[in-house]
Amino acid sequence: MKGENNLDAEIYLRRIIISKKVSQILSLLVIFMGFMVILGWFTDINILTGDIFNSPPSKFITALLSVICGFLVLILNRNISPLIKRFIQLVSLFIFFIGFLFLIQYLTGMVLPTDYLPFINSPYSTLLPGRSRFMSSFNFILYGIIIFLFALRKRIVIGQSLSILTGLIGFMGFTTYFYGLDPSKIPEVYTEMALYTAFTHLLLSSALLCLYPQQGLMKYFTQEYTGNFLSRKVLPVGILSIIGLGFIVLYGMSSDLFSSSFAVVIMVNTSIFILVLLIIGAAEKLSDLDKERINYQQSLEESLEEQKTIQLELENIVIEKERAQQKLRKLLDEKEIIQSHLESSLSEKETLIREIHHRVKNNLQIISSLLSLQRGYVEDEYSLDLLHEAQTRVKSMALVHEKLYRSEELSHINMQHYVDSLTRDLLATYSQQGVDLNLDLDEVKINIETAIPLGLIINELVSNSLKYAFKGVDDGKIDLSLKECTEGYQLIVKDNGAGLPPALDLDNPKTLGLQLVQSLVGQLDGQLEVFNADGVSFKITFKELLYDSR
């Protein structure tokens, strides 16, 4: 249905375009006919003026006014400015005035100088016949009104109705010659019309009718409705049939085939026959349209039934959707309850983990305190050093749990804060004066599985430097850095002290501290490098240990 509507719209638009083109072509033909007659008068060529087939020549002023009307219609076919419209209105009023003057002269018998327009007081005034004939003058009055209305784009129906009237007047003059009648036997004043003039009136009236095909009376021919279709098909056939019938009747009368009375009988009966044929054709077309309408109606009813079925299915879908939404809302409510329980459980677990870290830290502090108490009962230096080292190791582990306990994140520890606290505690523990500790730490966060062995390694290396490296050294310096690298992380502990003894076997050390460092580096799956020059430097590369579920 939609495709057919689009096709009808395309046909309608094409019909409008063709009609406008026809109006332009007919206007050009009017201008051509007018100039041809004007040229004939100046060159004294009879065939150009229309002095053929017993026809009188077209009047000069008629040809001139026809040329002006043709130009005006040609201009109206374009998009024009308001100023041009005013000019067209003025010219149309001039045409109306000239036609009115000519008509007044015929009706009153007056003779005015306008008979010789536009050659008053010139040599041509005696050569060129004056005013237009009666019917042409009447037509020019109508042309002035029509063009004035069309310039205003108002009362299009009136303008097109008057155009039909001018066309019929021209057609009356044209059929006189078409049927071979003698114009000299027709009263000149009111009905005589030159052949070229009649043809020009036909062209000009048709150009005016085709000027606005989408408006007024012409829309009944251009639109794609049943009545418009009948107008396009029936009207031309009826007109041509009547013209042909008139030609046949006149031929029969001129050939003495039948009398004028019998000619009337033939005209009446043939007209009835033609009328019956046209009505039957129109009825057949209307019947076809009724069948199409019935088919469309049946299709529409079927579409409505399908629409009802689809609507019921849609209602069922909507019901199912509402049920699904209710289930979804129920699931969301359950999800919120479960999420609330999970959050509560997670909060309880976090509290429990903090409590565990707090208790482990407290227990490690108790162990550290016990070791401190134990040192009070030991007198030899070697045992005191062993207890002191054990105490610092315990403190390094306790510090990890303390940092986790105080941190918002329970799974990772901030090593920058941890190393800073650990090294400051070691400096305070060993009471080293004149030792400068330089820290270069990235914002590194690692899990507890990695932090505890790393803290013990830092504790051992810094403790060894504080204990052994700076004997006899006034400006001791320890550099400690912890950086991220491509292999994971890199720890460097360096001092400018006495360095390691030359006889020390690094692959198989005898001291507990270095053995512990190597063991912890292995626990981290790391790599240890020792540089014993200008002090000692320990470089450890490692990765964060993954948590192994137990």
Side-chain angles (χ1 to χ4, degrees), residues 487-543:
E487 293 84 2
Y489 301 98
Q490 187 179 81
L491 172 68
I492 298 176
V493 180
K494 178 182 178 182
D495 64 54
N496 62 345
L500 297 175
L504 180 64
D505 186 2
L506 293 175
D507 294 328
N508 188 21
K510 302 298 183 181
T511 60
L512 177 62
L514 289 178
Q515 289 178 358
L516 183 60
V517 168
Q518 286 186 336
S519 175
L520 293 170
V521 171
Q523 185 178 337
L524 292 174
D525 293 330
Q527 182 179 358
L528 172 64
E529 297 179 67
V530 181
F531 303 96
N532 194 18
D534 298 327
V536 64
S537 175
F538 294 89
K539 178 181 177 183
I540 301 170
T541 305
F542 65 95
K543 294 181 179 179

Side-chain angles (χ1 to χ4, degrees), residues 413-521:
I413 184 170
N414 189 318
M415 292 302 294
Q416 189 179 49
H417 298 160
Y418 171 74
V419 173
D420 183 69
S421 299
L422 177 61
T423 53
R424 291 184 185 280
D425 288 346
L426 290 173
L427 282 175
T429 299
Y430 287 99
S431 302
Q432 284 287 352
Q433 301 295 327
V435 177
D436 188 11
L437 179 62
N438 299 316
L439 300 179
D440 184 12
L441 307 172
D442 283 352
E443 190 78 20
V444 175
K445 291 184 178 181
I446 57 177
N447 56 31
I448 189 172
E449 284 81 6
T450 308
I452 288 178
L454 184 62
L456 289 173
I457 290 172
I458 295 172
N459 179 79
E460 291 300 322
L461 295 178
V462 174
S463 297
N464 283 341
S465 294
L466 292 173
K467 286 168 57 179
Y468 305 115
F470 304 116
K471 293 181 179 180
V473 177
D474 295 332
D475 52 351
K477 183 173 70 173
I478 300 175
D479 295 324
L480 191 152
S481 70
L482 178 61
K483 301 282 186 181
E484 289 190 56
C485 62
T486 55
E487 293 84 2
Y489 301 98
Q490 187 179 81
L491 172 68
I492 298 176
V493 180
K494 178 182 178 182
D495 64 54
N496 62 345
L500 297 175
L504 180 64
D505 186 2
L506 293 175
D507 294 328
N508 188 21
K510 302 298 183 181
T511 60
L512 177 62
L514 289 178
Q515 289 178 358
L516 183 60
V517 168
Q518 286 186 336
S519 175
L520 293 170
V521 171

Side-chain angles (χ1 to χ4, degrees), residues 353-371:
I353 291 173
R354 291 182 189 279
E355 183 64 23
I356 290 172
H357 283 301
H358 183 59
R359 293 191 179 188
V360 170
K361 186 262 297 183
N362 288 343
N363 291 336
L364 290 173
Q365 284 183 341
I366 291 171
I367 294 172
S368 177
S369 299
L370 290 175
L371 291 173

Side-chain angles (χ1 to χ4, degrees), residues 341-354:
H341 289 167
L342 288 174
E343 290 176 355
S344 177
S345 176
L346 181 61
S347 178
E348 291 176 0
K349 287 183 179 180
E350 287 183 353
T351 302
L352 180 60
I353 291 173
R354 291 182 189 279

Side-chain angles (χ1 to χ4, degrees), residues 243-260:
I243 293 173
L245 179 62
F247 183 79
I248 293 171
V249 169
L250 286 175
Y251 178 77
M253 292 175 61
S254 62
S255 302
D256 294 328
L257 296 176
F258 43 76
S259 64
S260 60

